[in-house]
């Protein structure tokens, strides 16, 4: 379906229909509940006021949007797009829809529970590096180089002061600390 429907659970009624424009494949509420993001089978994610049904912004990419996360409280949105096996993370201002930053050549993005850190892998010909970003500052803060057997997922600790990459060999698991 090309629409997203949000329900008021206290009254059991549907709120205004959010007309995304393409089949909706995922949606999320902001941590404060004031906004809603949809992504569909197209190159955009859309920000909404779910209570009024008003579209706040279109977060446009040059490739299909594969993921979206609210971050930095509810102040920013991270979207991930995929073109030719290269993932690009975009950081957006959730109030205006303005793009604040873009990080290329990475995949398997994970955002910390508090929404202030993001990690992703940069895939090289023989090795993988993990990159850590500060979302509120929209800046790269660390690169962890040299791994060759990441299985394709990263887990941030809740603090977040460490992360663990999955490895292709079940007996290998590394734990990296930072700060």
């Amino acid at each position: 379906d090309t629409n997203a429907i949000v329900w008021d659970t206290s009254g059991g009624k549907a709120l205004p229909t959010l007309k995304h424009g393409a089949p909706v494949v995922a949606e999320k509420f902001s941590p404060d509940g004031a906004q809603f993001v949809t992504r569909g089978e197209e190159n955009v994610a859309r920000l909404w006021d779910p209570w009024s049904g008003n579209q706040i912004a279109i977060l446009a990419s040059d490739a299909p949007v594969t993921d979206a996360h609210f971050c930095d409280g509810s102040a920013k949105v991270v979207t991930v797009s995929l073109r030719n096996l290269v993932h690009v993370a975009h950081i957006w201002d959730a109030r205006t829809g303005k793009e604040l930053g873009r990080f290329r050549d990475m995949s398997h993005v994970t955002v910390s529970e508090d929404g202030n850190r993001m990690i992703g892998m940069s895939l090289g010909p023989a090795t993988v590096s993990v990159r850590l970003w500060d979302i509120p500052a929209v800046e790269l803060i660390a690169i962890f180089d040299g791994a060759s057997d990441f299985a394709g997922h990263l887990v941030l600790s809740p603090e977040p002061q460490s992360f663990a990459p999955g490895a292709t060999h079940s007996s290998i698991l590394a734990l990296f600390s930072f700060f």
Side-chain angles (χ1 to χ4, degrees), residues 3-6 14-19 48 52-53:
N3 298 323
I5 300 173
V6 180
L15 298 175
T17 299
L18 311 177
K19 298 181 186 301
W48 305 91
S52 70

Side-chain angles (χ1 to χ4, degrees), residues 75-151:
K76 294 181 179 71
V77 175
V78 171
T79 61
V80 180
S81 58
L82 174 64
R83 176 177 296 253
N84 299 326
L85 300 176
V86 176
H87 289 82
V88 177
H90 305 260
I91 298 179
W92 310 89
D93 183 304
R95 291 180 244 318
T96 66
K98 179 182 178 202
E99 185 174 17
L100 302 173
R102 182 181 293 198
F103 305 102
R104 296 187 182 280
D105 300 327
M106 32 92 30
S107 67
H108 307 291
V109 171
T110 300
V111 175
S112 63
E113 287 183 20
D114 67 3
N116 291 322
R117 301 280 186 268
M118 174 178 68
I119 56 173
M121 289 187 234
S122 179
L123 308 173
T127 63
V128 174
S129 65
V130 174
R131 296 168 190 246
L132 175 70
W133 291 274
D134 180 297
I135 293 174
V138 190
E139 66 183 15
L140 179 68
I141 53 177
I143 298 174
F144 303 89
D145 282 323
S148 60
D149 62 351
F150 284 146

Side-chain angles (χ1 to χ4, degrees), residues 112-114 116-117 156-163 175 178-179:
S112 63
E113 287 183 20
D114 67 3
N116 291 322
R117 301 280 186 268
L156 271 169
S157 67
E159 295 85 36
Q161 294 182 354
S162 58
F163 71 91
L175 181 65
F178 48 91
F179 298 111

